């Protein structure tokens, strides 16, 4: 890593640490209790340039490599201590990339800048009530009628689904089943016929999650992304960035668990000495650090490789996609282990609402499932490595 990149990473990480520590972490429990966080947080994150990180300058963003964005993602998780906040605050990072890459110039300029300014909220809608991981089997339809598409169907588990002003929706425009008939359509959040049902969850309590209902929703044809039938490829390419982001978040949350557990072990006394002086506790902390260190090294390597492939024009190289899948599983397993060990070290306090480890313990499963469940990641990695 060159000195300039290292310096930029440090500056960005320090900025994010202050923002997350001062403006997110102290409010997370109250926001969880309320079931949402203030919309003003989007504007504040935009002021600091965080919403626009990685987006084209002409659309109001700041271009950034994976390696530059990585410490920001990790710091947001470690010091913000809430997956719910991060999931909704940055839902545009899965909703906007297909727009940036495949929409017409007029649509890009209409949609992207207001989102990066924190004025509008973007979301992605792929999963359906009848199927999750099997994207090629989706059933929501979009039928061309003059200069509009008419959309019918349902999407579920949609992050920012209640608030989103723009929703990037996977639809079936072709006949029959399979990947070939899937397209991506940008749907305005105020479109007549679109209704939303809020979902209750085990974790991410301050992130709104919804089922979306499309009942003859008319969408201008200019909001089609790319061409009909190209949606499956867009979805698969979009997953790479999402999975790296999930891995980075898992690393940060693992560090947050270790931070809390170590502080507790140093302060809490049992049998006349601090918990950290007991070998059994000390070894739990060491095991957490071991897994964190391996995750950190792997994600740095995958990010650097992604930047090199990007520069070479090989965006979806099979060997890199395989590494992302394996990394995502490893990072979320690290998070699971660290959350479990931290709760164990905190004892009864680890079971109480308001502790970081208790919150992260409840958020582990969505990280292991969202963006591609463990089993799907293993299968995809095997295929990308040419084992099948």
């Amino acid at each position: 890593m060159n000195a300039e990149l290292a310096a930029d990473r440090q500056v960005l990480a320090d900025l994010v640490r202050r923002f997350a520590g001062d403006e997110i972490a102290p409010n997370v429990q109250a926001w969880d209790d309320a079931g949402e966080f203030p919309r003003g947080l989007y504007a504040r994150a935009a002021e600091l340039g965080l919403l626009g990180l990685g987006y084209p300058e002409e659309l109001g963003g700041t271009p950034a490599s994976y390696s530059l964005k990585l410490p920001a993602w990790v710091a947001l998780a470690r010091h913000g201590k809430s997956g719910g906040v991060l999931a909704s605050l940055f839902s545009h990072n899965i909703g906007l990339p297909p727009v940036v890459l495949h929409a017409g110039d007029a649509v890009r300029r209409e949609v992207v800048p207001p989102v990066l300014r924190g004025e509008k909220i973007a979301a992605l809608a792929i999963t359906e009530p009848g199927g999750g991981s099997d994207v090629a089997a989706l059933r929501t339809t979009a039928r061309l009628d003059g200069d509009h598409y008419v959309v019918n169907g349902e999407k579920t588990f949609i992050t920012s689904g209640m608030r989103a002003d723009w929703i990037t929706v996977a639809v079936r425009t072709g006949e029959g089943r399979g990947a070939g008939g899937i397209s991506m359509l940008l749907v305005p959040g105020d479109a007549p016929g679109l209704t939303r049902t809020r979902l209750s969850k085990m974790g991410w309590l301050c992130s709104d999650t919804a089922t979306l209902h499309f009942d003859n929703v008319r969408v201008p044809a200019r909001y089609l992304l790319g061409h009909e039938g190209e949606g499956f490829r867009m979805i698969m390419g979009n997953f790479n960035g999402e999975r790296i982001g999930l891995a980075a978040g898992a690393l940060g949350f693992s560090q947050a668990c270790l931070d809390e557990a170590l502080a507790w072990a140093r302060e809490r006394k049992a049998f006349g000495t601090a918990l950290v002086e007991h070998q059994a506790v000390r070894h739990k902390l060491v095991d957490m650090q071991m897994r964190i260190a391996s995750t950190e090294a792997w994600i740095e390597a995958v990010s650097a490789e992604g930047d090199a492939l990007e520069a070479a024009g090989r965006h979806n190289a099979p060997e890199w996609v395989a590494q992302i899948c394996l990394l995502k599983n490893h990072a979320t397993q690290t998070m699971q282990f660290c959350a479990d060990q931290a709760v164990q070290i905190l004892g009864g306090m680890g079971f109480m609402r308001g502790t970081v480890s208790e919150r992260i313990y409840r958020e582990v499963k969505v990280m292991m499932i969202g963006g591609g469940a463990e089993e799907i990641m293993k299968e995809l990695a095997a295929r990308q490595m040419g084992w099948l």
Side-chain angles (χ1 to χ4, degrees):
M1 184 184 303
N2 62 53
E4 183 179 359
L5 175 58
D8 289 344
R9 282 165 50 108
Q10 187 61 55
V11 169
L12 183 58
D14 288 344
L15 172 69
V16 170
R17 176 179 49 78
R18 291 193 297 272
F19 168 67
D22 294 344
E23 303 187 41
I24 297 178
N27 301 303
V28 167
Q29 189 57 50
W31 294 344
D32 272 359
D33 292 342
E36 63 181 16
F37 60 85
R39 281 191 71 126
L41 192 65
Y42 291 92
R44 179 59 181 145
E47 288 173 9
L48 297 174
L50 300 181
L51 298 190
L53 196 63
Y55 290 88
E57 193 171 358
E58 64 269 21
L59 296 177
T62 303
S65 64
Y66 287 114
S67 295
L68 179 58
K69 290 184 289 187
L70 177 58
W73 290 335
V74 175
L76 280 164
R78 182 176 188 174
H79 301 288
K81 310 179 193 304
S82 168
V85 171
L86 301 193
S88 281
L89 186 59
F90 294 95
S91 63
H92 70 290
N93 281 342
I94 55 175
L96 279 191
V99 180
V100 173
L101 293 172
H102 303 288
D105 188 61
V107 171
R108 292 167 76 235
R109 294 187 180 278
E110 175 188 4
V111 173
V112 178
V115 174
L116 301 187
R117 291 195 299 266
E119 300 165 1
K120 300 290 184 179
I121 298 171
L124 178 70
I126 296 176
T127 303
E128 298 186 350
S133 297
D134 189 2
V135 175
L138 66 84
R139 300 174 63 182
T140 297
T141 60
R143 175 180 54 84
L144 189 60
D145 179 26
D147 59 355
H148 283 72
Y149 283 96
V150 180
V151 183
N152 283 282
E154 287 186 319
K155 299 292 181 179
T156 197
F157 310 143
I158 307 307
T159 301
S160 294
M162 296 300 296
R163 286 180 166 182
D165 302 292
W166 293 103
I167 309 166
T168 302
V169 184
V171 295
R172 184 166 296 283
T173 52
E175 297 295 329
R177 298 170 66 84
I182 295 174
S183 303
M184 294 293 276
L185 189 65
L186 187 62
V187 178
D190 59 358
L194 170 61
T195 56
R196 320 176 193 216
T197 302
R198 187 182 184 95
L199 299 173
S200 297
K201 309 182 297 297
M202 177 168 65
W204 285 9
L205 301 183
C206 61
S207 167
D208 72 271
T209 306
T211 295
L212 309 180
H213 313 270
F214 300 89
D215 184 10
N216 290 320
V217 176
R218 296 185 66 83
V219 180
R222 66 193 181 92
Y223 288 139
L224 177 70
L225 304 182
H227 299 93
E228 287 191 7
E230 296 179 342
F232 189 80
R233 178 176 56 84
M234 295 181 195
I235 293 167
M236 292 301 104
N238 201 50
F239 273 135
N240 292 331
E242 180 181 2
R243 288 164 182 163
I244 292 177
L246 284 166
L251 172 59
F253 292 129
S254 300
Q255 292 170 331
C257 288
L258 177 57
D259 291 341
E260 183 175 60
L262 179 58
W264 179 264
R266 284 171 169 166
E267 295 172 7
R268 183 75 167 179
K269 292 187 181 298
F271 305 103
T273 60
L275 288 179
V276 74
E277 295 180 28
H278 294 271
Q279 186 184 67
V281 173
R282 192 162 59 247
H283 285 189
K284 290 181 185 294
L285 295 166
V286 170
D287 286 341
M288 293 165 72
Q289 177 57 37
M290 179 179 67
R291 287 164 173 78
I292 287 170
S294 67
T295 302
E296 186 172 24
W298 197 352
I299 196 171
E300 288 281 4
V302 168
S303 297
E305 183 179 359
D307 293 336
L309 290 169
E310 189 89 11
R314 298 180 61 225
H315 309 284
N316 294 312
E319 64 273 17
W320 185 61
V321 174
Q323 287 296 304
I324 292 172
C325 295
L326 298 174
L327 168 66
K328 196 256 184 183
N329 278 1
H330 182 76
T332 53
Q333 288 171 10
T334 294
M335 178 181 171
Q336 182 182 47
F337 179 86
C338 290
D340 180 75
Q341 295 300 292
V343 169
Q344 190 71 21
I345 290 170
L346 266 67
M349 186 55 67
F351 197 64
M352 298 295 108
R353 286 290 171 96
T355 61
V356 174
S357 301
E358 184 273 340
R359 181 185 307 112
I360 293 174
Y361 189 94
R362 286 183 289 104
E363 294 180 351
V364 164
K365 274 303 172 184
V366 72
M367 300 284 285
M368 302 181 86
I369 295 170
E374 277 194 340
E375 295 79 4
I376 299 299
M377 292 297 90
K378 291 176 182 179
E379 187 68 9
L380 179 56
R383 292 182 181 275
Q384 294 295 310
M385 291 185 292
W387 292 2
L388 293 174

